[in-house]
Amino acid sequence: MNPRIVAIRAGVQRGRIEFRQTATSPGEILGWLWMPLIALVVMYVLSDTAVPGTDFSLGSQAVPGILAMNVVFSALLGLAAVLTMDRGDGTLLRAKATPNGMLGYLTGRVLSRAALSVLMLLIVLIPSAFIFEGLQLGSAVAWLRLAWVLALGLVATLPVGAVLGAVFSGPQGLSLVSFLVMGLSAISGVFYPIAALPEWLQWIAQVFPLYWLGLGMRSALLPEAVVVAEIGESWRTVEMIGVLGVWVVIGFTLAPMVLRRMARRESGSNLEARRQRAMSSMG
Amino acid sequence: METGDSQNHDPSLTIHTRDLRMRYGTTDVLRGVDMELRRGEVLALLGPNGAGKSTTIEILEGFRRRSAGQVSVLGVDPDRGDEAWRARLGIVLQSWRDHGRWRVRELLDHLGRFYTPYTTPYAADELIDLVGLAKQAATPVGRLSGGQRRRLDVAVGIVGRPALLFLDEPTVGFDPEARQEFHDLVRRLSELEDTSILLTTHDLDEAERLADRILILVAGRIMARGTAAELAAQVAGTATVRFSRDGEFHEHEVADATTFVRELFEKYGTAIGDLEVRRASLSEVYMTLVREFESGRRTEVPAELSEVPA
């Protein structure tokens, strides 16, 4: 059989094993969930406030945005973090020493991160359905729309995560990125409709996938009437697909180049040098 | 540059390098290394820390590009080795800490899959028995002891039945018992099929126990090469003679101990007592060499270890 197909199949097995390892580790799951959980609590407190121009609860309105933020954290930052860690402990070098191992490794990591992102979305969404009123979870259409928006969001954010994980060699770089994502969350209409922000901030937010993923999730989960709070009083589905599609193209163009460069540089002595640096920075 | 070795490659040579050089910035790490590893042979690359052992092995593994020279590994230039070539190599590095959450059997089974297009890899359980980890088959890798972890690394290295196995400083940090077990394992491996093994070590004793031939690498050059017996014969020339004459103790370094002692007795007869003749062992010469090299006092080869003519 074609060696690359064999490697992709092994990668699927790898993804299953890694998913099981993370999904059965409460500490790790909580590590990715505390932010959305805190956000939900805050929004619950704001349940009685109405979205401007409607009588819809601001708390409920924020749930889809929090889900989108959670996807960006668990998929984009999550993949970047595991790539950095796997370089530090030699997992990546092991993949390089195995025939077609890099292909299998990446397949596994991408699939397990995608599956974990879906799992974490459900962990946040299902309790929210009971706590927050007005989410359209009764209809199959809403779930279907949620599913494809989520799929598009994952395909747009995972390759970017791989690029960041390959570019940054240590946790410092990644903390910077997660700081930026938090800042982006503040201006991307996650908690409050973006129309309330100055126009230049709106433009910045609309460059990045987080705003569009949140918009798509709102279009799936919120009643039609709430659309008046959005820019142009529209869910702008075509624009959403367009911008996320551009991110898909950017990610899939950059990721192979950057990952190849990362793989080429991997060697035992580089690994040892990183280990020494890590030890001396701890000491 | 001359034409690559792949064109006139000798199939009995698993590794063949000529004038291999590596330079980082202005530092020459390898200064013209010629080496040959024959099929089925265990070769030890022996040298102190910083001698260039790891650099050599990384070039041979295809993980690092050389600055100059010719290299052929399994008939292929490692800089151009493809995945089919990679499938014939087994690599055991100094400090694997990967896959801590995977179970031993799970990991071996998973990694074995990648080799199925090229060969019939070891079944996980067979391999687990071979390296003596049967009791740990379901243990997460991160909970293995140092010695067990190293045996797992070897198992991973040979899962694809490699034609060539690299062992980089395999027993660093081992207690004597773990070391002994590991040496037994390597000897078993070298008898399996036709596996050629290149191991690096800074420990002469280990090289003598495991290797068919030893290359001593110091400061980026091969200082001596041969079997342990051949290397010992090279240094057997000098000896230390201690004796007392009229109750006064003396010590002499001599090239020909037999002649020296005969003349000593002819000259002084019964005045000589407490006679002791010691030949410098290979390990003493090697240790001296390492100490001098590491303190920066020596950069060239000592007379005892001048290279044997081929």
Side-chain angles (χ1 to χ4, degrees), chain B:
Chain B
M1 228 173 148
E2 294 169 51
T3 48
D5 268 345
S6 43
Q7 283 158 35
N8 49 5
H9 170 66
D10 175 352
S12 72
L13 291 182
T14 303
I15 296 176
H16 189 193
T17 76
R18 273 224 313 273
D19 198 27
L20 171 59
R21 287 169 186 275
M22 189 73 199
R23 163 178 283 216
Y24 299 115
T26 57
T27 314
D28 286 311
V29 178
L30 297 178
R31 303 190 287 171
V33 171
D34 294 347
M35 66 189 281
E36 293 175 358
L37 170 62
R38 296 177 200 124
R39 203 165 72 198
E41 185 181 45
V42 180
L43 179 69
L45 195 54
L46 173 70
N49 294 326
K53 302 190 298 290
S54 290
T55 300
T56 306
I57 217 167
E58 286 187 355
I59 289 170
L60 299 173
E61 288 163 347
F63 285 172
R64 193 171 282 284
R65 280 174 181 274
R66 62 188 181 273
S67 305
Q70 291 177 35
V71 180
S72 155
V73 174
L74 297 167
V76 173
D77 179 339
D79 285 354
R80 287 193 281 274
D82 59 6
E83 299 300 313
W85 172 77
R86 173 135 326 274
R88 300 174 64 206
L89 304 183
I91 294 175
V92 180
L93 289 181
Q94 283 184 37
S95 57
W96 290 118
R97 288 173 299 126
D98 58 309
H99 291 92
R101 296 164 78 173
W102 289 58
R103 293 169 198 285
V104 169
R105 182 187 288 114
E106 192 174 60
L107 181 62
L108 290 175
D109 172 68
H110 171 71
L111 292 173
R113 285 177 173 226
F114 289 89
Y115 293 88
T116 53
Y118 307 101
T119 178
T120 308
Y122 277 103
D125 284 314
E126 187 187 353
L127 199 50
I128 285 168
D129 284 338
L130 183 68
V131 300
L133 286 175
K135 283 194 195 120
Q136 288 79 28
T139 306
V141 172
R143 284 201 216 130
L144 297 178
S145 72
Q148 291 167 347
R149 166 85 228 203
R150 219 72 186 105
R151 296 209 295 266
L152 172 68
D153 291 337
V154 172
V156 171
I158 63 171
V159 66
R161 298 185 199 270
L164 169 60
L165 180 64
F166 294 101
L167 295 170
D168 195 5
E169 301 275 354
T171 60
V172 167
F174 274 27
D175 60 44
E177 195 187 338
R179 233 172 125 78
Q180 187 56 49
E181 282 175 16
F182 193 87
H183 288 169
D184 292 342
L185 172 61
V186 173
R187 271 194 292 269
R188 272 206 305 284
L189 291 181
S190 64
E191 286 157 18
L192 284 175
E193 298 169 26
D194 233 351
T195 316
S196 313
I197 299 179
L198 176 64
L199 92 123
T200 69
T201 178
H202 58 259
D203 180 4
L204 173 68
D205 180 55
E206 181 159 283
E208 283 183 309
R209 277 163 192 266
L210 293 180
D212 300 318
R213 281 190 310 126
I214 300 171
L215 299 183
I216 299 182
L217 183 73
V218 177
R221 278 209 188 106
I222 303 287
M223 294 277 176
R225 65 179 83 217
T227 63
E230 283 166 357
L231 290 174
Q234 284 179 63
V235 300
T238 62
T240 309
V241 180
R242 292 197 187 91
F243 56 90
S244 64
R245 180 155 64 90
D246 301 326
E248 200 179 316
F249 283 86
H250 296 268
E251 183 177 318
H252 286 266
E253 291 284 333
V254 297
D256 183 353
T258 312
T259 307
F260 180 84
V261 171
R262 189 186 299 119
E263 288 171 355
L264 199 65
F265 280 109
E266 280 169 1
K267 238 170 163 175
Y268 303 106
T270 53
I272 300 296
D274 303 302
L275 179 73
E276 192 186 332
V277 179
R278 266 185 88 239
R279 288 186 189 282
S281 72
L282 179 56
S283 96
E284 281 165 335
V285 173
Y286 175 67
M287 287 313 294
T288 310
L289 182 67
V290 168
R291 268 196 305 276
E292 292 185 349
F293 168 72
E294 285 180 346
S295 66
R297 267 182 290 146
R298 186 190 288 283
T299 51
E300 295 305 323
V301 62
E304 297 95 316
L305 280 178
S306 58
E307 191 149 347
V308 224

Side-chain angles (χ1 to χ4, degrees), chain A residues 92-108:
Chain A
L92 223 79
L93 187 57
R94 178 79 82 196
K96 193 179 168 182
T98 310
N100 302 295
M102 225 25 130
L103 180 63
Y105 164 81
L106 284 171
T107 306

Side-chain angles (χ1 to χ4, degrees), chain A residues 129-154:
Chain A
F130 295 97
I131 299 166
F132 293 93
E133 285 172 15
L135 299 177
Q136 309 289 295
L137 286 169
S139 83
V141 179
W143 281 98
L144 200 67
R145 191 170 172 89
L146 179 69
W148 75 251
V149 170
L150 174 62
L152 180 59
L154 288 174

Side-chain angles (χ1 to χ4, degrees), chain A residues 7-278:
Chain A
I8 289 171
R9 284 196 183 162
V12 173
Q13 178 204 35
R14 187 178 188 86
R16 249 199 328 269
I17 292 170
E18 285 168 348
F19 175 76
R20 192 201 62 215
Q21 286 166 351
T22 311
T24 55
S25 151
E28 201 166 331
I29 292 285
L30 267 180
W32 291 107
L33 279 180
W34 64 269
M35 280 234 324
L37 291 179
I38 288 176
L40 281 182
V41 170
V42 172
M43 295 326 288
Y44 183 71
V45 173
L46 296 175
S47 280
D48 292 340
T49 314
V51 177
T54 70
D55 54 5
F56 195 76
S57 154
L58 187 64
S60 305
Q61 188 268 350
V63 171
I66 291 170
L67 294 178
M69 178 182 78
N70 199 25
V71 168
V72 172
F73 267 97
S74 64
L76 190 150
L77 282 175
L79 186 59
V82 290
L83 274 186
T84 312
M85 265 163 32
D86 288 345
R87 245 180 317 159
D89 71 11
T91 303
L92 223 79
L93 187 57
R94 178 79 82 196
K96 193 179 168 182
T98 310
N100 302 295
M102 225 25 130
L103 180 63
Y105 164 81
L106 284 171
T107 306
R109 271 310 187 199
V110 167
L111 290 181
S112 62
R113 272 341 284 187
L116 282 166
S117 302
V118 174
L119 175 73
M120 288 192 238
L121 179 129
L122 291 175
I123 292 178
V124 177
L125 176 61
I126 289 169
S128 303
F130 295 97
I131 299 166
F132 293 93
E133 285 172 15
L135 299 177
Q136 309 289 295
L137 286 169
S139 83
V141 179
W143 281 98
L144 200 67
R145 191 170 172 89
L146 179 69
W148 75 251
V149 170
L150 174 62
L152 180 59
L154 288 174
V155 178
T157 53
L158 283 167
V160 178
V163 169
L164 293 175
V167 170
F168 292 109
S169 60
Q172 289 89 350
L174 279 182
S175 343
L176 178 72
V177 177
S178 64
F179 186 74
L180 288 176
V181 173
M182 282 187 215
L184 202 56
S185 304
I187 64 164
S188 290
V190 168
F191 306 105
Y192 201 84
I194 192 174
L197 294 176
E199 200 166 325
W200 64 272
L201 269 182
Q202 292 183 24
W203 280 108
I204 292 176
Q206 289 180 76
V207 170
F208 294 99
L210 177 55
Y211 166 76
W212 295 99
L213 189 53
L215 181 66
M217 299 236 167
R218 284 194 291 281
S219 77
L221 296 174
L222 299 183
E224 196 54 41
V226 192
V227 78
V228 296
E230 301 294 342
I231 294 173
E233 300 193 3
S234 157
W235 297 125
R236 295 195 287 169
T237 303
V238 175
E239 290 91 328
M240 174 194 72
I241 294 172
V243 176
L244 290 179
V246 168
W247 278 97
V248 172
V249 172
I250 293 175
F252 276 89
T253 311
L254 287 181
M257 292 187 320
V258 177
L259 289 170
R260 256 199 291 277
R261 192 189 66 140
M262 169 187 80
R264 215 174 26 242
R265 290 182 169 188
E266 216 50 38
S267 75
S269 45
N270 288 350
L271 183 66
E272 185 60 21
R274 265 200 304 274
R275 198 178 66 89
Q276 300 285 353
R277 268 203 307 276

